[in-house]
Amino acid sequence: MKRICVFAGSNSGADPIYRETAKKLGKEIADHGIELVYGGSSKGLMGCVANAVLERNGCAIGVMPTGLFQVETVHTKLTQLHEVRNMHERKATMHNLSDGFVALPGGFGTLEEVFEAVSWGQIGIHNKPIGLLNANGYYQPLIDMVANGVKDGFIREENAKLIMIESDPAVLLEKLIDRFDS
């Protein structure tokens, strides 16, 4: 695995554990020699994961639409910044640059990004590993919803297994690497 895309909130969340988890993930990414691809912001969990990668002399690649430069505050110390026209181009660029995906806690944008990655994996557009970093149980309601979708016949069990779920960044990253290598 050369590059991993991290979907994350542009806010830090109410509990400091979210920032700590983002920092741990960034350190793990850098220590494994994997390049980070993410939304390009210096704010929130996005900024935390990027800063942790950069502090370990890792590579952080941001992808941001020009129109968001004011709202999300583009990170000025990135290894690379891809300036794109819109959110659709942002997601496509992040997908094309990456070998796998991790979702840290985040809002609607993060949820939309991870669901798109899962949907694309489900229909065969890609075969890249996808993980949820379930910091502080943040994704438990989503995990329960997916289980309910399987139980009620809306989600195939094999498609639910496309999502790897862990609360420890090191364990999740190892699982993603193993699935990528297999």
Side-chain angles (χ1 to χ4, degrees):
M1 179 174 287
K2 180 179 178 185
R3 291 184 179 151
I4 192 153
C5 179
V6 175
F7 305 127
S10 58
N11 294 308
S12 294
D15 193 316
I17 195 165
Y18 298 126
R19 291 184 295 282
E20 291 305 313
T21 302
K23 290 175 189 176
K24 287 178 186 175
L25 178 62
K27 289 175 185 175
E28 288 293 329
I29 289 169
D31 289 351
H32 280 81
I34 298 172
E35 298 176 357
L36 169 69
V37 175
Y38 83 113
S41 179
S42 64
K43 302 279 188 193
L45 297 187
M46 280 199 267
C48 288
V49 71
N51 288 336
V53 167
L54 293 167
E55 286 167 8
R56 303 283 259 223
N57 297 313
C59 177
I61 302 166
V63 182
M64 187 179 287
T66 305
L68 282 183
F69 279 28
Q70 304 300 328
V71 177
E72 286 191 355
T73 312
V74 68
H75 200 302
T76 59
K77 296 187 183 292
L78 296 175
T79 311
Q80 291 177 30
L81 176 66
H82 293 262
E83 185 176 337
V84 296
R85 291 174 292 183
N86 55 50
M87 291 300 281
H88 295 293
E89 192 175 327
R90 179 193 215 181
K91 291 186 300 177
T93 301
M94 291 190 323
H95 280 257
N96 290 335
L97 290 173
S98 302
D99 299 318
F101 308 96
V102 172
L104 280 162
F108 290 127
T110 302
L111 293 170
E112 188 267 338
E113 289 167 330
V114 74
F115 274 123
E116 181 173 83
V118 173
S119 296
W120 286 9
Q122 172 180 275
I123 61 174
I125 291 175
H126 71 78
N127 189 26
K128 300 174 184 181
I130 304 159
L132 292 179
L133 196 43
N134 193 25
N136 202 30
Y138 180 79
Y139 281 114
Q140 194 57 52
L142 178 61
I143 295 163
D144 294 342
M145 185 174 133
V146 171
N148 192 57
V150 171
K151 178 182 74 69
D152 284 348
F154 291 102
I155 298 171
R156 291 183 177 161
E157 192 166 338
E158 64 268 18
N159 291 332
K161 291 178 182 175
L162 292 171
I163 307 169
M164 289 175 277
I165 304 157
E166 289 293 336
S167 58
D168 183 309
V171 173
L172 181 59
L173 191 58
E174 286 297 331
K175 285 185 173 185
L176 291 165
I177 291 168
D178 287 348
R179 185 169 290 176
F180 177 78
D181 289 339
S182 62

